[in-house]
Amino acid sequence: MNPKIDSKITDSEWEVMRVVWAQDKVTSKEIIEVLQQKKDWKPATTKTFIGRLVKKGMLHTETEGKRYIYSANLNESKFIKGILDETFDNICGKEVGNTIVSLISKATLSFKDIEKMEKALEMKKKDAVEEVPCTCVPGQCKCKDHNCSSGH
Ligand SMILES: [Zn+2]
């Protein structure tokens, strides 16, 4: 995989990536069609975003005759995982549990999903700690001023 991928993309670029991920290999015409319907974007707008994604290394380009064919250099699940990891890296360790609970509460889940979570939680019990430490830099979270362990 290309080590020079810049996966920091805008919401608009994300829209383009979703089309590419859904279809593996696409032409700009196909991307334009989907996003014209969904976002009412003009072809030039979509082409601008495609160009930026190529520059960032997110899209791979190959030519087929006169046509450009685009494919993703980073797959969707790796991309999502990267975003989630980055988000959780910015949350105080003490707040991670609450954040996950609120994600679960909002999500629509199947019995199968819940079964998987129950198994994951059962495993987690084995290395659970009495209290999750705050590893934040002073001034970047409230743990240092307030007593988080007393719950809030
Ligand atoms: Zn903290």
Side-chain angles (χ1 to χ4, degrees):
M1 192 177 290
N2 189 342
K4 271 175 33 200
I5 297 174
D6 174 9
S7 60
K8 291 218 178 349
I9 63 172
T10 63
D11 287 348
S12 300
E13 289 162 359
W14 198 336
E15 292 285 351
V16 172
M17 288 310 297
R18 289 195 64 183
V19 181
V20 181
W21 282 321
Q23 307 183 45
D24 294 329
K25 280 181 190 288
V26 275
T27 61
S28 56
K29 195 172 164 251
E30 290 168 309
I31 301 172
I32 286 166
E33 272 172 17
V34 172
L35 295 175
Q36 210 154 29
Q37 278 196 19
K38 184 180 177 186
K39 310 290 281 185
D40 205 21
W41 287 347
K42 297 207 161 53
T45 308
T46 302
K47 278 186 180 164
T48 302
F49 296 138
I50 294 172
R52 287 182 191 159
L53 287 164
V54 171
K55 239 183 180 168
K56 288 182 179 183
M58 285 290 286
L59 287 182
H60 171 78
T61 320
E62 52 196 305
T63 46
E64 202 181 87
K66 279 178 100 180
R67 297 189 314 166
Y68 284 103
I69 312 283
Y70 298 98
S71 55
N73 275 332
L74 183 67
N75 74 38
E76 189 168 18
S77 59
K78 278 200 179 127
F79 172 75
I80 301 280
K81 201 179 167 293
I83 287 196
L84 291 178
D85 284 349
E86 211 182 280
T87 303
F88 276 87
D89 281 348
N90 282 323
I91 301 173
C92 172
K94 284 183 180 297
E95 282 305 315
V96 166
N98 282 332
T99 307
I100 294 171
V101 170
S102 81
L103 284 176
I104 291 173
S105 309
K106 270 207 301 191
T108 303
L109 300 168
S110 68
F111 287 111
K112 214 170 184 172
D113 291 328
I114 293 170
E115 211 173 285
K116 270 193 229 164
M117 288 178 197
E118 282 173 341
K119 275 191 188 137
L121 284 176
E122 211 44 56
M123 292 295 289
K124 274 291 167 193
K125 268 188 194 165
K126 288 179 189 157
D127 48 32
V129 294
E130 205 53 57
E131 197 186 323
V132 180
C134 164
T135 51
C136 304
V137 169
Q140 280 205 319
C141 96
K142 290 190 161 154
C143 293
K144 271 35 178 213
D145 332 317
H146 304 279
N147 187 8
C148 285
S149 60
S150 61
H152 41 147

